[in-house]
Amino acid sequence: MIPDVIRQASFFILSRPAKRYERFLLKQINSKEQLIGIKGARGAGKTTLLLQYVHRSGYPVEKILYISCDHPAMAGVSLYESAQDFFQEGGRLLLLDEIHKSKGFAPHLKAIRDTFDLQVIFSGSSAIQLDYESADLSRRVAIYQLPALSFREFLEIETSISFDVVSLEEVIRNHLTLSRQVATRIRPIEYFLKYIKYGAYPFYLESIENYSMKLLEVINLTIESDLPAIFNIEPGKLDKLKKLLYMLCTTPPLALNKMKLSGAIGTSWPTVSKYLALMSKASLIHQIRGGAGMRTVNKPDKLLLDNPNIFQVLCAQPNIGSLRESFFVSQLSHAHQIHYHDHADFIVDDTFVFEIGGPGKTLKQIKTLDEAYIVQDNIEVGSLKEIPLWAFGFLY
């Protein structure tokens, strides 16, 4: 039975006008799929994406039902029975938001998918593991990952100017042309500095003044609410996750070895490793593993906060090297394989080597390497093998 308050909430939410700016992922969703999942960090815009999909679907409001699974009225309510009622009433499109808050949701989704002629789109935390929940379900669902805003998307929101998505190889080969094209329309460094502070999550549009406070709330809710809802984490362990985040904010990349991490939070390395994996799944950090053949036995993975904005709310003086690398990885990790390199910072897709630094960074460190490039912060235009850091923000 669908609670009346859920029906009323659905009507009010679906009656709202759609947000103007559409994330890149909206165009990539295959509308012919019967069961679609949208994973992403809190605040990335998953709910907005669902509602924009509704407006594109062409269905009248009475044929659509929106359910937020964290609504108090949904406590103890069966998702399968709600879908059955909705289908019998002539429903066509079922939206299930925050599905990770519904215990044991996977068998319900599988049964809905196999029983009713409904299109179901659900959203949930990045940490959801559908293959863990149900191997049968993982074969039946099309999963999409919604990352934080790219620098390109932030520019489009801020300026109302359309910028093309550029492939990684185009950035490498044609970054001088890209720089000239962008610089004739906006001042890239000016906007890049804004993006670093508050441009990674769409809710900055609500209030730049309150952005840091809201982002801190997002981080806390992810650790205190989302992760415990998905994994069995004791409440007393949650502060250790927060301490790990703070350490990543203030420490240079690769300066943290297993002994330092374990000693700092008073926990064994296997437990620390588990915590890091959970935070990576929840889009709080990136774990970058060493490339093939690297000697990494005594080092943890290269650890970076998920995006530069997290630095702004966790520490007053973030490590600038970590912040730069966090931006680089955040822009590439959605569609590319990234490892850290023994003679540079990263190797991407087992082909391109990158060393990240400030304007004074030279080619000396990578001069003997093939397909190796310097990525420089705070420059508007590069040179043959020196690429502006901001240019990597156009990959999606």
Side-chain angles (χ1 to χ4, degrees), residues 90 106 133 144 168 210 212 309 328 333 361-362 366:
E133 291 281 348
Y144 298 88
L168 176 59
N210 294 327
S212 293
N309 289 185
F328 181 84
S333 59
K361 195 73 172 179
T362 69
I366 60 168

Side-chain angles (χ1 to χ4, degrees), residues 59-129:
Y59 288 123
V61 173
E62 61 269 18
K63 297 292 184 181
I64 308 168
L65 180 65
Y66 170 91
I67 296 176
S68 181
C69 295
D70 62 351
H71 194 290
M74 287 302 295
V77 176
S78 166
L79 292 180
Y80 178 83
E81 291 177 5
S82 297
Q84 181 177 8
D85 288 346
F86 179 55
F87 175 73
Q88 290 174 167
E89 295 165 4
R92 299 296 299 163
L93 176 59
L94 177 61
L95 307 174
L96 300 173
D97 209 357
E98 301 290 323
I99 198 160
H100 58 278
K101 292 303 180 71
S102 180
K103 293 292 184 183
F105 65 85
H108 290 258
L109 286 179
K110 177 181 178 296
I112 293 169
R113 159 69 170 74
D114 292 345
T115 307
F116 307 119
D117 184 18
L118 281 173
Q119 185 177 48
V120 180
I121 307 182
F122 64 89
S123 79
S125 165
S126 300
I128 288 178
Q129 298 182 90

Side-chain angles (χ1 to χ4, degrees), residues 49-60:
L49 191 74
L50 292 183
L51 299 179
Q52 288 173 333
Y53 185 89
V54 164
H55 285 271
R56 284 191 166 206
S57 73
Y59 288 123

